Amino acid sequence: MARHGIYPHDIVPPRSKYFDSGRFGRMFGDLPPFASDTPEIRAALLEIGKVGGVMDAKDKLSEGPIKLITDAPLSTKNPNNPTLTAGFTFLGQFIDHDITSDPTSSLERQADPEQISNFRTPSLGLDNVYGAGPGGSPHLYDQSPAGQGIKFLLEETGTPGKFDVPRNSQGVALIGDPRDDENLIICQLQVAFLKFHNAVVDHVKAKFGLTRPDAVFAEAQRIVRWHYQWIVVHEFLKKTCGTAIVDDVLANGRKHYKWNNEPYIPVEFSVAAYRFGHSQIRPSYRANFTGNPGGQPFFGMIFTPTPSNPLDPDDLSGGCRAPRRFVDWPTFFDFGDGQVRPNKKIDTALSTALFKLPGSVVANPDPKTNPSSLAQRNLLRHLTFSLPSGQKVAKAMGLTPLSKGDLADLKPHGLDDRTPLWFYILREAQVAENGERLGQVGGRIVTEVFHGLLEGDRSSYLSQEPDWQPNLPTVDASKQGDDFTMVDLLRFAGVA
């Protein structure tokens, strides 16, 4: 029986290894949990992740979104990353929605990941964009003669030439994954991919002379997916995990992430390593250059606990359409015009806005069992899934763990030598890589999982044509035929 919302240690689910598709599983199934699920440990995790705690960047949110971006003293714990621009945070979120969806797990009960279904196909196939395709998700596609049922529907925001995802009469986004409407930036990234597909449809018709809608769609989808997969490997992973790790895995294969039949999603990845992106989120962003009255820039907090006008809030919430709710991408990716903003470094300080998630994200918040602090929620999931410590994982990977001195702020809680894996990976990036990219533990877990997903997908470029290189036009003509970046995608899509 459960007592006070927790389970005794003697009925922790077995830590076996999973080797089949369709569920979550474990990379390091032989390692014990970092700690028993006790009231003392839960209290320690809640303390570490609380408002004003060791993970709170203590941003002065009352100063407003513009000052938080432009006034360095207000964001001393949100240092700039010189190697990553702001858009990669949201590209990472978009990729996550492509490969994982778990609407069933609870922070209160321990769970065996092998019994939790992944409601997203674990592959980089853009399920969050294509849904079930023109046949299974016809409401996503333009059924007019111009669209032929193979182009995506789009609607203007109210500003000419600026587009939003299609919505029903109540403003609900009609897209492959509702999470891609969580905030304005991820929603506009969804728009970019919809327009990218539509542009590739036109490209396929013009270049190959195909006329049958099903043939055009199939070829356009392949081109879109392969160029996206290339970006994930050769831009996102190399910038996030380091070129050395990515090149090593591509050349020598995976050491730790293995499967028999089809890939699964390891909880070491989904609950810990891939949540590094939460550390990169700024408290505020410049969404565009001209959206506010008088052609002024639209600055907004990433979200606020109680947004203003729900039809057009002052923050960057998703879920609504208004003339100013669009993104100018030169703020987020480097188009060479000097407008781009840097990402935040990867470290154990999270933006203060993330310590009080809005009601649209956390229903029925409870400070102990369903907290509104993102840091607390992430840490409690280590108990939910019996994750091992960062030190144990490092040793299992043949690496020297961080010293207790590197984790001295956890000593009062007895977790400086048995550290929750997510916190450990953030601190590893901070200590070993100056926060510019993930360290060896985090970087290798993330890289190996993505590599494994691509190898396990029989339709990916890595499975079908490992030596394939992009062939769509690039900004730098000298790189056409051997590279393709997010800037190239956004330009080809016609959104920049």
Side-chain angles (χ1 to χ4, degrees), residues 74-317:
L74 295 180
S75 295
T76 54
K77 289 193 176 182
N78 271 307
N80 291 336
N81 189 330
T83 64
L84 279 169
T85 63
F88 285 96
T89 297
F90 300 95
L91 177 59
Q93 182 184 12
F94 179 87
I95 296 168
D96 175 61
H97 294 174
D98 183 23
I99 61 177
T100 66
S101 177
D102 166 25
T104 62
S105 65
S106 165
L107 298 178
E108 294 187 66
R109 62 176 183 267
Q110 292 181 321
D112 182 350
E114 296 182 15
Q115 303 306 314
I116 296 177
S117 294
N118 179 12
F119 289 84
R120 177 68 67 227
T121 302
S123 68
L124 292 160
L126 291 174
D127 289 2
N128 56 332
V129 171
Y130 287 105
S137 302
H139 58 286
L140 303 181
Y141 296 85
D142 181 0
Q143 304 299 324
S144 72
Q148 296 185 293
I150 61 172
K151 280 189 172 183
F152 286 108
L153 287 166
L154 289 155
E155 299 177 19
E156 284 194 344
T157 64
T159 296
K162 304 298 183 181
F163 289 89
D164 183 26
V165 297
R167 300 181 183 275
N168 67 14
S169 60
Q170 296 179 327
V172 177
L174 302 176
I175 53 179
D177 189 323
R179 295 174 299 170
D180 281 353
D181 196 27
E182 286 178 345
N183 61 66
L184 173 61
I185 304 166
I186 192 72
C187 177
Q188 286 285 293
L189 194 56
Q190 179 86 1
V191 168
F193 273 86
L194 299 181
K195 286 182 71 67
F196 180 50
H197 167 86
N198 290 354
V200 173
V201 166
D202 292 337
H203 170 77
V204 166
K205 288 180 178 179
K207 184 171 183 178
F208 303 112
L210 298 176
T211 57
R212 281 178 37 217
D214 59 340
V216 173
F217 179 84
E219 179 61 7
Q221 186 183 52
R222 181 193 67 80
I223 291 172
V224 167
R225 283 174 166 170
W226 284 18
H227 282 77
Y228 158 69
Q229 291 165 1
W230 179 274
I231 287 171
V232 171
V233 173
H234 293 278
E235 186 174 25
F236 178 77
L237 283 184
K238 287 186 175 181
K239 286 181 176 291
T240 299
C241 303
T243 299
I245 289 178
V246 176
D247 286 348
D248 178 65
V249 173
L250 288 173
N252 302 310
R254 303 180 306 279
K255 298 178 181 178
H256 310 288
Y257 173 53
K258 300 174 182 178
W259 40 265
N260 281 337
N261 299 318
E262 294 181 357
Y264 66 96
I265 297 294
V267 287
E268 295 90 343
F269 170 88
S270 63
V271 178
Y274 202 63
R275 295 189 181 226
F276 74 88
H278 294 163
S279 169
Q280 295 178 308
I281 298 171
R282 296 283 197 188
S284 62
Y285 293 90
R286 177 181 60 192
N288 56 52
F289 304 132
T290 59
N292 270 346
Q296 296 300 304
F298 175 24
F299 290 85
M301 306 299 292
I302 185 64
F303 50 67
T304 54
T306 54
S308 59
N309 177 10
L311 298 178
D312 185 12
D314 290 334
D315 66 10
L316 301 178
S317 301

Side-chain angles (χ1 to χ4, degrees), residues 72 111 118 259 334 429 451 490 494:
N118 179 12
W259 40 265
D334 190 0
H451 181 268
L490 294 167

Side-chain angles (χ1 to χ4, degrees), residues 51-85:
V51 174
V54 298
M55 298 195 74
D56 186 350
K58 301 177 178 64
D59 301 300
K60 297 180 181 178
L61 301 183
S62 61
E63 296 288 341
I66 298 177
K67 278 196 171 184
L68 284 168
I69 294 173
T70 59
D71 193 341
L74 295 180
S75 295
T76 54
K77 289 193 176 182
N78 271 307
N80 291 336
N81 189 330
T83 64
L84 279 169
T85 63

Side-chain angles (χ1 to χ4, degrees), residues 2-6 108 369:
R3 297 178 301 169
H4 309 298
I6 61 172
E108 294 187 66
T369 61

Side-chain angles (χ1 to χ4, degrees), residues 77-84 88-89 236 239-242 272-282 343-350 422-439 442-443 446:
K77 289 193 176 182
N78 271 307
N80 291 336
N81 189 330
T83 64
L84 279 169
F88 285 96
T89 297
F236 178 77
K239 286 181 176 291
T240 299
C241 303
Y274 202 63
R275 295 189 181 226
F276 74 88
H278 294 163
S279 169
Q280 295 178 308
I281 298 171
R282 296 283 197 188
N343 222 332
K344 174 190 169 297
K345 285 186 175 181
I346 305 170
D347 54 31
T348 52
L350 272 63
W422 174 61
F423 189 100
Y424 181 96
I425 285 170
L426 296 182
R427 182 58 56 81
E428 178 193 47
Q430 183 177 344
V431 170
E433 300 293 341
N434 193 31
E436 295 179 13
R437 63 191 65 83
L438 291 171
V446 170

Side-chain angles (χ1 to χ4, degrees), residues 372-416:
S372 57
S373 161
L374 182 60
Q376 290 177 330
R377 296 175 70 82
N378 285 347
L379 291 168
L380 288 178
R381 287 187 185 277
H382 286 62
L383 295 179
T384 303
F385 293 107
S386 303
L387 258 66
S389 69
Q391 289 87 347
K392 292 285 188 183
V393 172
K395 290 179 180 178
M397 297 174 80
L399 302 169
T400 301
L402 296 177
S403 70
K404 294 179 69 172
D406 291 329
L407 297 153
D409 48 349
L410 298 187
K411 184 175 181 179
H413 308 289
L415 296 175
D416 54 336

